[in-house]
Amino acid sequence: MDRHTPSQRSKNMRAVKSKGTKPEVMLSKALWHLGYRYRKNNKTVFGKPDLTFKKYKLAVFVDSEFFHGKDWQIRKHDIKSNQEFWHKKIERNIERDKEVNELLNNEGWKILRFWDKEIIKNLETCINKIITHLK
C-alpha cells in the first residue's frame, strides 16, 4: 500500500529528472572547465548516454543508485510499498543497461558508468577515469 495519495505520488514522480541531475551537471561542468568537449544526452548514440565523446567513442552514463539497482540483490528487500511495480521496473532498468553496454561494446564504444553518489563523493576520481580513457 502506498503512503501517499495518487496526486502526491504523481507530484513526487514528476520531480524525478532523467537528465540534468546534480551529479550529471557536476561531472559535465568539471570536464568542460578542463577543456573537454562532449555532447549531452546524444540521441544518435544508442542508449542516449549522459555524455558522449564521439571522436574517442566514449560513452559516459550517470546512474541513479535507486533506479538502476545498485546492490540490487541486497537492497531490493528495502522497498516496502508497491514492491511488484518497483522490482519489475528496476530489474528491467538493470537488464536494459546490460543491453546498451553490449550493443555499444559491439560497435566499438568504451563505456563508463558512474553511480550518482560516487560522483558527488569522489568527483576527481571519476574525472580521472574519463581523462584516462580519452588519452
Side-chain angles (χ1 to χ4, degrees):
M1 191 67 186
D2 200 354
R3 295 179 186 186
H4 297 292
T5 66
S7 62
Q8 287 172 321
R9 176 61 61 205
S10 181
K11 182 182 176 187
N12 289 350
M13 292 308 291
R14 273 196 308 270
V16 176
K17 297 191 230 172
S18 64
K19 56 186 176 182
T21 62
K22 182 180 176 181
E24 185 182 330
V25 170
M26 284 174 60
L27 184 65
S28 61
K29 280 187 176 185
L31 288 166
W32 192 269
H33 288 298
L34 291 172
Y36 294 97
R37 300 301 180 243
Y38 50 81
R39 292 287 171 256
K40 289 167 50 171
N41 307 106
N42 192 341
K43 293 177 185 175
T44 63
V45 180
F46 184 75
K48 273 194 350 186
D50 296 306
L51 302 175
T52 52
F53 300 85
K54 267 194 161 179
K55 178 179 175 182
Y56 303 98
K57 283 199 135 184
L58 176 65
V60 179
F61 292 89
V62 178
D63 294 335
S64 160
E65 291 183 2
F66 177 74
F67 287 103
H68 290 267
K70 181 178 183 190
D71 301 326
W72 181 239
Q73 293 308 317
I74 298 166
R75 294 186 63 199
K76 74 178 178 181
H77 304 293
D78 295 344
I79 299 172
K80 300 298 181 209
S81 63
N82 209 0
Q83 281 186 341
E84 183 181 341
F85 170 79
W86 285 112
H87 286 187
K88 184 178 174 185
K89 179 172 185 62
I90 294 169
E91 286 169 359
R92 177 62 187 126
N93 287 348
I94 293 168
E95 189 179 313
R96 187 179 307 111
D97 289 344
K98 290 177 184 173
E99 291 169 5
V100 167
N101 287 352
E102 186 178 331
L103 194 129
L104 289 177
N105 275 327
N106 291 341
E107 291 180 358
W109 284 79
K110 297 177 212 159
I111 300 154
L112 291 177
R113 286 190 177 270
F114 297 106
W115 296 113
D116 54 1
K117 299 268 178 13
E118 181 183 3
I119 292 171
I120 292 170
K121 291 178 182 175
N122 301 310
L123 180 61
E124 288 298 318
T125 305
C126 298
I127 290 170
N128 289 336
K129 285 182 186 177
I130 293 171
I131 292 171
T132 300
H133 279 82
L134 292 176
K135 291 186 176 181

